[in-house]
Amino acid sequence: QFFKKICHELYQSQPETASWNFYDHLRNLPPTQGLNLATMQMVGEMLRMANNIIKFNQLKQLDLQGRIQVRTISMSDFQNYPEETMFKLLSFMSLPPGRKERISHQYGEWMNRVKEEKTNNHVTTGNSNEEMLNDWLRGDEFWGRILGNIEKVVDAALMQQQLDS
């Protein structure tokens, strides 16, 4: 009910917004309302991600032969260490000799080019409200609790990944 209420309050709720699509709402709503709507749209995926982490960890604990491997990779690793992170991701795949290295190297070069060219035209690029919006999400009675709990699950999985490596 709560999710439905937020959506109805924010999405196409006024005569002037009746024909707006999701992107129009994000561009035109006040920042915290746009963030609220965007978070509403993404929360299902974030909850599934956290649930998958929990379920894979439970499965690993039941695997007495140690055959199940789970790798958790952070977005910051993908952004800051693209070649190394891609190689870790590909380590689960059975590829011909040298293929993992080539793919990882190509991905790293591509990511570095993208960073250098600064071709990111996403609506959030250069958003001067980033700190304020992060504070708003963390402090919100509803989102702060949900996202804080998801963050704890992800952080614990990343910490365990470091200990296991």
Side-chain angles (χ1 to χ4, degrees), residues 43-57:
V43 74
E45 294 303 318
M46 291 185 285
L47 290 170
R48 273 188 283 285
M49 174 194 63
N51 185 61
N52 286 341
I53 290 171
I54 292 166
K55 293 299 180 189
F56 278 126
N57 284 336

Side-chain angles (χ1 to χ4, degrees), residues 4-156:
K4 202 174 190 179
K5 180 178 180 267
I6 290 175
C7 287
H8 284 293
E9 287 175 0
L10 296 174
Y11 193 74
Q12 298 179 339
S13 60
Q14 305 297 319
E16 65 271 13
T17 66
S19 64
W20 288 5
N21 61 28
F22 185 73
Y23 181 73
D24 292 333
H25 280 75
L26 295 181
R27 300 276 303 165
N28 294 293
L29 286 173
T32 55
Q33 288 182 2
L35 182 60
N36 201 5
L37 185 63
T39 305
M40 179 64 63
Q41 191 250 350
M42 294 174 21
V43 74
E45 294 303 318
M46 291 185 285
L47 290 170
R48 273 188 283 285
M49 174 194 63
N51 185 61
N52 286 341
I53 290 171
I54 292 166
K55 293 299 180 189
F56 278 126
N57 284 336
Q58 289 172 347
L59 184 62
K60 263 177 63 173
Q61 291 174 358
L62 295 174
D63 178 31
L64 300 177
Q65 288 85 28
R67 293 182 297 166
I68 296 175
Q69 297 179 27
V70 178
R71 178 163 304 275
T72 304
I73 299 175
S74 72
M75 283 303 296
S76 63
D77 282 351
F78 256 119
Q79 293 166 345
N80 297 320
Y81 313 104
E83 186 171 341
E84 298 87 345
T85 306
M86 180 57 74
F87 187 81
K88 287 178 186 176
L89 179 67
L90 294 173
S91 68
F92 284 97
M93 301 177 78
S94 177
L95 295 172
R99 185 86 192 261
K100 289 179 217 175
E101 292 82 359
R102 273 195 312 279
I103 293 170
S104 300
H105 183 71
Q106 289 170 344
Y107 178 76
E109 285 182 335
W110 175 77
M111 276 297 287
N112 289 329
R113 262 194 324 274
V114 168
K115 284 182 201 174
E116 288 171 13
E117 293 171 1
K118 296 182 181 173
T119 58
N120 190 350
N121 293 323
H122 192 270
V123 67
T124 59
T125 300
N127 187 334
S128 61
N129 294 328
E130 185 175 343
E131 186 177 339
M132 181 272 296
L133 293 173
N134 277 331
D135 290 345
W136 180 83
L137 265 181
R138 290 182 185 283
D140 185 75
E141 184 180 341
F142 180 71
W143 292 125
R145 188 178 60 213
I146 290 176
L147 297 175
N149 287 336
I150 292 172
E151 185 177 35
K152 287 176 187 174
V153 168
V154 172
D155 287 348

